[in-house]
Amino acid sequence: MKCPYTGATTTVDPIVIDPMVRDLAGETARLVAAGPVVPIDLLGVPAWSVTRHAVARELLLDPRLVKDLSAWRLWREGVVTREWPLITMIDAGRSMFTVDGADHRRLRSKTAQALTPRRIEALRDDIAAFTRTLLDAMEEAGRDGAPVDMKAVFAQPLPMQVVCLLLDVPEESQPWLADGYKRFFSMLTPHEERLEILETFDRWYLDLIRERKANPGDDLLSALIHSEEGGEPLGEDEVLGNLKALVAAGHETTIDLITSAARALLNHPDQLELVLSGKVSWEAVIEETLRWDPANTHLLMRFPTEDLTVGDTVIPRGDGVVMSYRAINRDPEQHGADADSFDVTRELPIRHMAFGHGPHICPGAALSRLEAAIALPALFERFPRMRMAVADEEIQNLPVMTQNDLTAFPVFLG
């Protein structure tokens, strides 16, 4: 068929990515079966989905595949405008997540200077304390044998508390931030409201940046603002872009990791027993969860600056390219014939792509792993007889096209 937007000819109809995320497993299977580079439909906009590990590794290192929105043909021609519901996932302001080359290296190096291994490791005791307090809240919520939404009571507040501690954000702002991001990502939120949320976030973050610029402290935001190593300091718009992306990615990814790991273990009691008996490490649980059920499903979007050839497929210059990380991490060529199976006995290291690859690999991966490494053992130590309160097929995803986010995860504690 011929794409009405780009003129590119494909031999198969595009796979429609469901904005309501009603069958994520089925969608992933269809993408994997369709080939390494697959035409897809994103709310009426055509793009290409990358579904193979080896192809993703190659493309994510290719300097001809860029984040620069002006390289997108549909954007330049006015076919896609600010009215497209997913545009805020791509046109998110200037940050290390949206630029390439020397600009990207400069912006990312400033974040790396601020988000040091020492700063992350210094959070360990605080993460453990937050974990204990939230587990107390879970125990209280389930005291009469009632089901407890583990996501709402435990997995969701923990990463937000950690990222806000890292940035020295007031505690009273955390529920407002969490609710704002939930509404921002949801496809049920009217587009006009999503744009208003983004504007409100911008004003709030700018106030925080200006306050911290005048009164710096020993926190990540102050370090990001005042870093003078490796060239000129970040501009206010650059700090804003990096900060928004760090908060969004810094808590959403870990929410999904904790809930996905708990769900997988409760659905595989034989594997849970291996972990609780010490025969399998929590590191193996975390890495297999990241592979099998990653937080990012479809990461939007990159654009080739010239035609790219992948096998028998040519991705035309200026088309949109999506990294479908859930499909990539189920690639049987990389992970074997049982790639669709959750298996904590896989040999480490598990070479997945849950955090991306190449220059744009997630800078917060170490923090997410640390939070999960503290939270998950504590969760199952406190509630060793925890079980799911509903059948697995009753659990639904939130309508978020880019993330693997559950509406709720109800459990019985004993």
Side-chain angles (χ1 to χ4, degrees):
M1 64 171 293
K2 188 172 183 179
C3 174
Y5 292 93
T6 66
T9 300
T10 62
T11 57
V12 295
D13 290 338
I15 293 176
V16 177
I17 304 302
D18 181 12
M20 296 295 105
V21 198
R22 285 165 289 205
D23 181 19
L24 185 56
E27 180 179 278
T28 301
R30 289 190 293 275
L31 287 168
V32 173
V37 180
V38 182
I40 59 173
D41 179 293
L42 294 170
L43 297 180
V45 170
W48 298 90
S49 166
V50 177
T51 69
R52 294 291 189 274
H53 183 98
V55 174
R57 283 180 65 91
E58 181 179 349
L59 290 178
L60 289 171
L61 293 173
D62 194 325
R64 297 173 298 172
L65 193 63
V66 302
K67 290 289 197 83
D68 183 2
L69 182 62
S70 66
W72 192 12
R73 182 185 308 150
L74 300 186
W75 180 258
R76 292 198 312 268
E77 295 175 353
V79 176
V80 173
T81 69
R82 290 285 291 174
E83 298 306 309
W84 186 50
L86 293 175
I87 193 61
T88 51
M89 307 292 182
I90 304 170
D91 186 19
R94 179 178 170 81
S95 77
M96 63 180 175
F97 297 92
T98 59
V99 298
D100 306 284
D103 283 344
H104 171 260
R105 288 191 291 274
R106 172 177 163 269
L107 294 179
R108 187 179 176 95
S109 70
K110 296 294 185 181
T111 302
Q113 292 164 22
L115 192 61
T116 61
R118 178 196 63 80
R119 189 182 295 276
I120 291 173
E121 181 59 29
L123 294 169
R124 182 179 292 273
D125 289 346
D126 291 299
I127 295 171
F130 291 153
T131 296
R132 288 192 296 271
T133 299
L134 292 171
L135 291 176
D136 289 344
M138 275 189 69
E139 187 169 355
E140 180 62 30
R143 187 171 298 280
D144 296 329
V148 179
D149 182 356
M150 194 209 80
K151 178 190 171 184
V153 181
F154 180 66
Q156 185 165 292
L158 176 61
M160 181 58 79
Q161 289 177 349
V162 173
V163 75
C164 286
L165 174 67
L166 189 61
L167 296 164
D168 192 20
V169 170
E171 184 175 349
E172 58 269 20
S173 298
Q174 294 175 19
W176 172 79
L177 275 173
D179 178 68
Y181 277 109
K182 180 179 179 180
R183 290 186 292 116
F184 172 77
F185 284 117
S186 174
M187 296 308 301
L188 295 178
T189 301
H191 186 54
E192 297 76 14
E193 183 180 337
R194 187 177 295 110
L195 294 175
E196 291 173 3
I197 291 169
L198 202 60
E199 291 176 2
T200 301
F201 274 168
D202 282 357
R203 290 193 298 270
W204 186 83
Y205 279 125
L206 280 172
D207 287 344
L208 187 66
I209 290 166
R210 290 164 184 169
E211 185 276 330
R212 204 61 49 82
K213 188 172 184 179
N215 302 289
D218 184 22
D219 58 86
L220 176 64
L221 178 53
S222 295
L224 200 60
I225 293 169
H226 295 278
S227 172
E228 297 181 354
E229 298 179 33
E232 62 180 301
L234 297 182
E236 188 175 76
D237 63 325
E238 295 171 330
V239 174
L240 173 64
N242 276 7
L243 180 58
K244 287 193 300 183
L246 283 170
V247 175
H251 82 283
E252 286 288 344
T253 300
T254 311
I255 294 169
D256 301 335
L257 173 54
I258 293 171
T259 53
S260 292
R263 181 184 184 183
L265 289 173
L266 293 178
N267 274 316
H268 297 82
D270 55 334
Q271 297 191 48
L272 175 58
E273 178 56 34
L274 290 176
V275 179
L276 296 181
S277 67
K279 295 177 182 177
V280 171
S281 67
W282 282 104
E283 178 190 3
V285 172
I286 291 167
E287 297 307 312
E288 175 65 352
T289 301
L290 287 167
R291 180 200 72 82
W292 186 69
D293 205 16
N296 293 315
T297 50
H298 308 288
L299 196 62
L300 313 182
M301 189 183 293
R302 289 171 168 82
F303 317 99
T305 56
E306 58 184 75
D307 291 357
L308 298 179
T309 301
V310 180
D312 297 330
T313 302
V314 175
I315 305 174
R317 177 174 65 90
D319 275 14
V321 178
V322 173
M323 294 294 156
S324 292
Y325 283 115
R326 197 170 192 273
I328 289 166
N329 285 329
R330 299 286 185 100
D331 179 4
E333 295 175 14
Q334 174 67 21
H335 298 293
D338 65 343
D340 264 337
S341 300
F342 178 77
D343 182 4
V344 296
T345 66
R346 290 182 195 274
E347 183 178 352
L348 294 174
I350 301 172
R351 302 194 182 281
H352 58 73
M353 283 195 186
F355 293 112
H357 182 68
H360 285 278
I361 193 168
C362 177
L367 178 57
S368 185
R369 284 183 167 110
L370 176 61
E371 291 179 58
I374 293 171
L376 288 168
L379 173 69
F380 282 93
E381 181 179 350
R382 178 75 73 94
F383 307 117
R385 294 187 296 277
M386 183 170 60
R387 65 192 191 278
M388 291 170 58
V390 297
D392 189 71
E393 56 268 23
E394 294 182 41
I395 295 175
Q396 298 179 339
N397 278 74
L398 285 171
V400 180
M401 294 181 73
T402 56
Q403 292 158 222
N404 178 23
D405 199 355
L406 304 181
T407 56
F409 187 60
V411 296
F412 292 117
L413 301 182

